[in-house]
């Protein structure tokens, strides 16, 4: 049985890994190789349920979901992202969204925007 501290440590490791891919300079090219590598690395993590990688136009380019479901899912979270960014602009126009984390009783959803791609990860929340 995992403890809350262990879950937080695992989550912190996932965040560190995700942020590794966010550190390159602004507007770097995101190649298929980059997307494949990021996807594979996230997929290796424990408790990952679904992954959706979205291009700058909001279209899923790689996903563990069926295509139709990934399009709907991406649309819903892109809408939420847009609302968050507009709300943040009203608070501080110089700030930017780095990650959106939504936790429910059963799942945790991480949305990590980048200059070219957005990664959405759904993971099972440990009980």
């Amino acid at each position: 049985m995992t403890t809350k501290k262990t879950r937080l440590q695992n989550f912190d490791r996932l965040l560190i890994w995700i942020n590794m891919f966010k550190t390159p300079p602004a507007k770097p090219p995101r190649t298929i190789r980059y997307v494949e590598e990021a996807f594979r690395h996230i997929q290796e993590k424990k408790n990952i349920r679904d992954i959706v990688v979205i291009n700058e136009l909001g279209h899923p380019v790689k996903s563990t979901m069926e295509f139709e479901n990934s399009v709907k899912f991406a649309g819903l979270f892109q809408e939420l992202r847009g609302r968050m960014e507009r709300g943040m602009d009203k608070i501080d126009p110089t700030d930017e969204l780095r990650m959106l984390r939504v936790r429910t009783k059963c799942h945790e959803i991480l949305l990590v925007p980048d200059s070219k791609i957005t990664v959405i990860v759904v993971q099972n929340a440990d009980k």
Side-chain angles (χ1 to χ4, degrees), residues 19 22 36:
N19 284 327
K22 290 186 63 170
E36 292 285 339

Side-chain angles (χ1 to χ4, degrees), residues 9 15 24 28 42 49-50 73 76 79 84 114 119:
Q9 287 171 340
L15 289 179
I42 294 169
R49 180 177 167 217
D50 288 307
F73 191 76
L76 292 170
E79 183 181 335
M84 288 295 299
D114 193 320
V119 179

Side-chain angles (χ1 to χ4, degrees), residues 9 15 18 26 44-45 49 51 61 64 82 98 109 111 121:
Q9 287 171 340
L15 289 179
I18 288 172
E44 290 173 354
K45 300 296 180 193
R49 180 177 167 217
I51 306 166
V61 292
T64 57
R98 294 279 182 127
I109 302 164
L111 181 139
V121 178

Side-chain angles (χ1 to χ4, degrees), residues 14 18 38-39 42-43 48-55 58-60 62-65 69-81 99-102 108-114 117-123:
L14 179 61
I18 288 172
F39 190 87
I42 294 169
Q43 203 168 28
I48 299 298
R49 180 177 167 217
D50 288 307
I51 306 166
V52 180
V53 179
I54 304 166
N55 66 12
H59 303 159
K62 185 142 179 89
S63 176
T64 57
M65 298 177 171
N69 291 336
S70 65
V71 169
K72 290 177 185 175
F73 191 76
L76 292 170
F77 274 90
Q78 287 292 83
E79 183 181 335
L80 185 58
R81 173 188 174 182
M99 182 178 70
L100 177 63
R101 179 180 174 195
V102 178
E108 185 169 48
I109 302 164
L110 306 167
L111 181 139
V112 183
D114 193 320
I117 64 170
T118 298
V119 179
I120 302 174
V121 178
V122 180
Q123 60 186 14

Side-chain angles (χ1 to χ4, degrees), residues 78-112:
Q78 287 292 83
E79 183 181 335
L80 185 58
R81 173 188 174 182
R83 289 177 184 221
M84 288 295 299
E85 287 176 337
R86 285 190 300 277
M88 288 172 43
D89 274 349
K90 291 185 188 288
I91 297 169
D92 182 359
T94 63
D95 207 358
E96 67 178 304
L97 179 66
R98 294 279 182 127
M99 182 178 70
L100 177 63
R101 179 180 174 195
V102 178
R103 186 175 175 101
T104 66
K105 191 164 74 171
C106 299
H107 300 98
E108 185 169 48
I109 302 164
L110 306 167
L111 181 139
V112 183

